[in-house]
Amino acid sequence: MAVRSWWGWGTDADAIAGGERSTLLERVRTLLPQAELVDHRPPELSELGLPAPRVSPPEALARLCSAEVADRAAHAHGKAFRDVVRNLLGELDAVPDLVARPESEQDVVDLLDWCAAAGIAVIPYGGGSSVVGGVEPRQLHDTYQGVVTLDLGRLDRVLEVDRISRAARIQAGVLGPALEDQLRPAGLTLRHFPQSFEFSSLGGWLATRAGGHYATVLTHIDDLTESMRVVTPAGVSESRRLPASGAGPSPDRMFLGSEGTLGIITEAWMRLQDRPRWKAGASVLFDDYARAVDATRVIAQSGLRPANCRLLDPVEAFINAGVDAAGGVLVLGFESAVAPVDSALESALELCREFGGKAQRSAAERSEEAAADTWRSSFLRMPYQRDALAAHGMIVETFETACTWDRFAELREGVLQSAYAAMGSAGVQGVVTCRFTHVYPDGPAPYFGIYASGRWGSTVQQWDEIKQAVSEALLAHGGTITHHHAVGRDHRPWYDRQRPEVFAAALDAVKTRLDPAGILNPGVLIDRR
């Protein structure tokens, strides 16, 4: 069985090594010849010197709880760049006292009852793939008697399948691959494939309103949710299974995106789909980026509904697809369970040609590694590449947003200016990339990447300066602080400014009613009273 890395992404066996690492470092040297690229290895777990747990579970719950160093260290941080670097440096300033793994919903109820009575903070944990500080026990140890991370990984089963309605009742702790494996015998799929798919859970997707496989239409997990069951300190909430309802505000909408602050999602009925039988795709190269953006917008507004419609700007295309295209590359894909999709792809390509796009579809072009194929193959390797570069003193991180089409050009320019100015101020040189992960008729979801040569020992601080600057730029130019990575603790300053004050007051009232002891993921979304 593959061993999960305690300090970085994924498994130890899949880490970047050998020729793959050499190729990656050479590509970085081409872009940033001044980068030092000295390798640094993580400390051994025995060297971390974690403090002793401050709390002990009641005898009835002891079988569910672990105080092992490996467990506590692995649950101390998420998987953002700053998390990985701090792990590499052995800087685990705040770790959970215990890691609890409930085996049933009643276990969740019992654990919450104990923690509420004892003044212990509870951090819900799915796959631990948060990149915004959502699972980190930051600044909690002086306020609470202890911190317990509630790992739902043992609640990992598909409990019931309704083939007629194409839906399934699924426990929240199941990770992406295990979920799809259990649905496959019924010929169904959730078809929700975020980049973190292998190491993220259904409950995590729901709690963070995750974005998934589809670049258009069914983009967020919200669209696939039929009903939810949530354990709160005040009781259990279970919404009714319905295809749609106009009966007041939606209870599911209250818990979707609540990031474990209002309750623990234990299971949900999810809308499924038949597995696709027909697929067609192509990559389209452009000479002019503005025209590539226009082509993408027209496709998003055409009603063609591509499953994949991701525009890579020229720098992104070079770094992650190895393609030199002055105006970027548009990766297109169509799929269906009921009919061939070649005509839909051809319609999209015809729209691209009107904006100067040149499609790669022939066998010869594919043998030369068409951009779409190359980018797809590197997509799931990107987090491993990030870890390898972070260990070599690079600053490699992403941030995303969404805005209306009329604001995109100004937003992108504002972000680029802010990012390069911040890199100059932080004393680093680097490049900024941009791709669209999702597109809507009224706007895109730009996903930016930073690749910079940092100074080992200071890369977290250098990144924090850059993150501050680009986050200000996002809000100043009409974007959201996050499209699908959630708020966590890192995005709180900008989330507080984005949301209406009246809504903040309502959220505070809900939090007070459902979590009167204030134990659920303190510091996320709302402050403890």
Side-chain angles (χ1 to χ4, degrees), residues 127 205 268 362 432:
W205 301 339
S362 71
V432 184

Side-chain angles (χ1 to χ4, degrees), residues 283 321-323 358 360 362-374:
S283 55
V323 174
K358 180 182 177 182
Q360 291 184 323
S362 71
E365 287 168 324
R366 287 192 177 279
S367 68
E368 296 170 5
E369 292 192 331
D373 295 331
T374 307

Side-chain angles (χ1 to χ4, degrees), residues 125-322:
Y125 189 100
S129 62
S130 172
V131 294
V132 291
V135 297
E136 180 180 345
R138 191 185 303 171
Q139 298 178 342
L140 300 180
H141 289 71
D142 293 337
T143 311
Y144 293 86
Q145 296 300 311
V147 177
V148 171
T149 293
L150 198 66
D151 187 324
L152 297 173
R154 291 176 179 171
L155 301 180
D156 62 353
R157 292 184 297 128
V158 174
L159 300 173
E160 187 176 352
V161 175
D162 175 355
R163 190 66 181 82
I164 295 175
S165 306
R166 284 200 321 192
R169 182 165 68 98
I170 307 166
Q171 290 184 309
V174 65
L175 300 184
L179 169 58
E180 289 296 324
D181 286 346
Q182 293 178 72
L183 294 176
R184 192 169 288 108
L188 296 171
T189 173
L190 183 63
R191 210 73 187 140
H192 183 82
F193 300 128
Q195 189 175 34
S196 61
F197 171 76
E198 188 177 1
F199 303 108
S200 56
S201 69
L202 173 64
W205 301 339
L206 295 167
T208 60
R209 299 182 66 192
H213 170 72
Y214 286 102
T216 65
V217 189
L218 300 175
T219 61
H220 274 81
I221 197 70
D222 312 33
D223 305 314
L224 305 175
T225 304
E226 191 176 69
S227 72
M228 293 169 61
R229 186 171 172 89
V230 185
V231 175
T232 83
V236 176
S237 171
E238 182 175 13
S239 59
R240 179 171 296 190
R241 283 188 64 200
L242 294 167
S245 175
S250 165
D252 292 337
R253 288 283 175 175
M254 183 174 74
F255 291 110
L256 285 166
S258 60
E259 301 190 39
T261 61
L262 304 180
I264 309 295
I265 300 168
T266 56
E267 61 183 62
W269 275 94
M270 303 301 297
R271 300 183 177 101
L272 307 177
Q273 302 169 62
D274 293 316
R275 292 187 171 274
R277 298 170 56 196
W278 286 275
K279 296 183 181 181
S283 55
V284 185
L285 277 63
F286 290 85
D287 293 326
D288 182 85
Y289 182 68
R291 299 195 76 193
V293 171
D294 287 340
T296 308
R297 173 180 55 80
V298 170
I299 291 172
Q301 295 172 342
S302 68
L304 291 171
R305 300 170 61 142
N308 199 359
C309 188
R310 288 174 166 84
L311 177 63
L312 320 182
D313 77 359
V315 184
E316 175 83 15
F318 174 74
I319 292 178
N320 288 314

Side-chain angles (χ1 to χ4, degrees), residues 395-437:
I395 299 170
V396 183
E397 188 56 294
T398 61
F399 57 97
E400 31 70 56
T401 187
C403 64
T404 52
W405 287 111
D406 61 307
R407 289 178 168 175
F408 169 67
E410 181 181 330
L411 179 142
R412 178 173 179 266
E413 183 61 27
V415 167
L416 293 180
Q417 289 182 5
S418 296
Y420 283 115
M423 282 191 280
S425 176
V428 301
Q429 290 184 311
V431 296
V432 184
T433 69
C434 180
R435 69 178 183 261
F436 293 162
T437 58

Side-chain angles (χ1 to χ4, degrees), residues 15 68 129 137 205 253 273 282 353 362 375 423 445 451 490 501 503 509 519:
E68 295 295 323
S129 62
W205 301 339
R253 288 283 175 175
Q273 302 169 62
R353 285 190 281 269
S362 71
W375 188 80
M423 282 191 280
Y451 299 81
D490 295 347
E501 284 300 320
F503 175 78
I519 61 168

